[in-house]
Amino acid sequence: MKRPASPVTVLLTTGVLLLTACGSGNDESTDNNKVADTSQSAEMPKTPTEPPAAQAGEKPDGVDVSLPKDMNLVFDWSRPQSANEAAAMDDAANFLRAIYRGVDQRSAEEAAVTTYATEGGLHYAQAQIDEWIKGGWTATGTRRHYDVTTRSAGNGKSVEVGFCADTSRFYGKEIRTGKVLKTKPSLKDFGYYKIVMVKSVAAAGVWQASKVFVERTVEQCR
């Protein structure tokens, strides 16, 4: 992945080190950035049937998750049959859009972030955005998400959304100079994410990211 030069790691109460921001410069990952038991998610069909409801430029639930034309988040995701899992998957995509909208708007308090994240997921998103802001970067290019799986908790109140991400064409860009910071493509551009989505207590029908787990350099995602 192309990452900011300064560390973008967040330690949540789960004890797992997390990484999500993609910019450029030195790789800040460590051997601790592994997620145990990433195979728990049930397999889902690989062929996309219907894209997430909220595409860039739309305002799901009245919240703006639009991004600049040169900041392209692609979700090649299959749609699960479960209504809860489909809604949680859609809002997991909105959670990622919210992070990069915060990067673009230069604010970790962006309404989309506080709408689609809570608890550890909110801390995670805001920490990532803050690092982009401190570094003086925005993002440009295409970040692709694929091979999605979903798994519901027994109580019906949380859904785990797992997926691969390819950031080999997603770069940091210096705001002051406009320079795009590219690095040589490598296995580090491929990661596996698990986002635990929970029903919002404040907004009916909205799911929020409460935990985020990331495994770096995942060969199976390449």
Side-chain angles (χ1 to χ4, degrees):
M1 295 175 79
K2 285 82 183 162
R3 300 183 179 279
S6 57
V8 191
T9 52
V10 181
L11 180 62
L12 299 187
T13 56
T14 57
V16 179
L17 287 173
L18 309 180
L19 286 167
T20 191
C22 296
S24 255
N26 298 332
D27 187 351
E28 75 289 354
S29 64
T30 72
D31 290 340
N32 292 325
N33 293 329
K34 303 296 181 203
V35 175
D37 202 16
T38 57
S39 64
Q40 288 186 2
S41 298
E43 290 187 2
M44 297 293 297
K46 304 282 185 171
T47 304
T49 57
E50 185 178 348
Q55 299 298 333
E58 294 185 0
K59 296 184 179 181
D61 309 305
V63 179
D64 193 348
V65 292
S66 62
L67 297 172
K69 291 182 179 179
D70 68 337
M71 195 185 294
N72 187 26
L73 271 59
V74 175
F75 298 91
D76 293 329
W77 285 3
S78 305
R79 195 162 186 80
Q81 294 182 348
S82 164
N84 272 356
E85 291 182 6
M89 186 183 73
D90 287 348
D91 284 348
N94 287 329
F95 168 68
L96 296 174
R97 293 187 183 103
I99 290 175
Y100 289 103
R101 179 167 176 82
V103 170
D104 177 60
Q105 297 295 311
R106 319 308 291 164
S107 173
E109 303 298 327
E110 176 66 24
V113 175
T114 56
T115 297
Y116 294 110
T118 187
E119 300 177 348
L122 179 60
H123 176 58
Y124 171 72
Q126 291 178 331
Q128 308 310 310
I129 295 168
D130 283 340
E131 286 299 323
W132 285 84
I133 294 172
K134 290 176 184 177
W137 309 298
T138 186
T140 188
T142 299
R143 177 185 169 104
R144 190 169 73 91
H145 312 83
Y146 50 98
D147 288 354
V148 68
T149 62
T150 53
R151 184 171 65 109
S152 297
N155 61 11
K157 295 182 179 180
S158 67
V159 174
E160 176 190 281
V161 181
F163 56 91
C164 288
D166 173 5
T167 63
S168 59
R169 296 167 56 202
F170 197 65
Y171 313 106
K173 182 171 71 172
E174 293 179 352
I175 293 176
R176 184 177 62 83
T177 66
K179 179 182 178 181
V180 176
L181 307 172
K182 294 186 177 182
T183 60
K184 185 177 180 180
S186 73
L187 183 58
K188 294 175 183 178
D189 295 323
F190 298 87
Y192 182 77
Y193 291 68
K194 288 199 299 186
I195 302 177
V196 178
M197 304 295 294
V198 298
K199 287 185 176 181
S200 171
V201 298
V206 174
W207 290 74
Q208 297 176 301
S210 64
K211 295 184 178 69
V212 182
F213 304 86
V214 182
E215 183 177 0
R216 298 285 313 286
T217 62
V218 180
E219 179 65 43
Q220 70 191 45
C221 287
R222 182 155 64 175

